Amino acid sequence: MNDGVEVFALPQRLTQALANASSAELEELAGRWTTRLRSEDGDDRTDDDLLAVLQGAARLAASAVNTGGGLYSWSF
């Protein structure tokens, strides 16, 4: 049954990189992400604060690494 829910497991390498990223690295990545969205679409595709999204993902990744778990994303 396709109920429209998608679940993605983030690779361990990405989870580890997010967990270990410094504040400066997250800021730089958010800037690159914003620049790429603007260049592809001509404007912002999202109203989200991309730095806050990355900081939240990094906190979750650190928790996953510390507990030996994985990091997952789902949408519906």
Side-chain angles (χ1 to χ4, degrees):
M1 177 169 94
N2 183 355
D3 59 3
V5 175
E6 299 173 327
V7 178
F8 302 95
L10 276 69
Q12 187 62 32
R13 185 173 169 195
L14 176 57
T15 302
Q16 190 73 44
L18 282 169
N20 294 330
S22 68
S23 294
E25 289 170 322
L26 293 174
E27 288 178 28
E28 193 265 337
L29 179 57
R32 288 193 342 233
W33 190 4
T34 300
T35 299
R36 184 172 182 173
L37 288 175
R38 287 182 181 148
S39 71
E40 288 178 359
D41 293 339
D43 59 12
D44 291 332
R45 287 177 29 189
T46 180
D47 291 331
D48 294 332
D49 179 344
L50 299 180
L51 178 56
V53 170
L54 287 172
Q55 290 168 331
R59 283 190 299 274
L60 291 171
S63 178
V65 167
N66 289 337
T67 61
L71 191 58
Y72 302 88
S73 173
W74 69 91
S75 64
F76 52 96

